[in-house]
Amino acid sequence: MNFAAARREMQCVLEAIESGYVLACHDISEGGMAVAAGEMVLAGNLGIRLEPESLDDLRWDEYLFTESGG
């Protein structure tokens, strides 16, 4: 992804947050989706159920723990 595309995506996220469409967000970096989701539910004293619509040829463990934003 180039800088201009990344900037457009970040602007969309910012607008969604400012409009009230996003109540919480977290980056998916070290540990992937599973760690990010775990950190959010612990911080909010909540639970979570992850139900991906499509794994796009990824194994379930790759889906949960990959550190790629794609």
Side-chain angles (χ1 to χ4, degrees):
M1 175 182 306
N2 63 37
F3 178 77
R7 185 179 174 125
R8 282 191 304 272
E9 286 189 13
M10 291 303 299
Q11 186 62 40
C12 288
V13 171
L14 180 60
E15 289 175 11
I17 292 169
E18 290 174 342
S19 298
Y21 291 113
V22 176
L23 300 177
C25 67
H26 194 303
D27 67 312
I28 298 176
S29 57
E30 295 180 15
M33 174 82 73
V35 171
E39 289 174 349
M40 290 186 73
V41 299
L42 288 173
N45 198 27
L46 301 169
I48 190 167
R49 179 175 51 204
L50 298 173
E51 296 181 6
E53 292 181 16
S54 171
L55 295 180
D56 295 326
D57 297 326
L58 286 177
R59 295 187 328 255
W60 67 271
D61 58 327
E62 289 175 311
Y63 173 79
L64 290 176
F65 296 105
T66 187
E67 295 177 2
S68 167

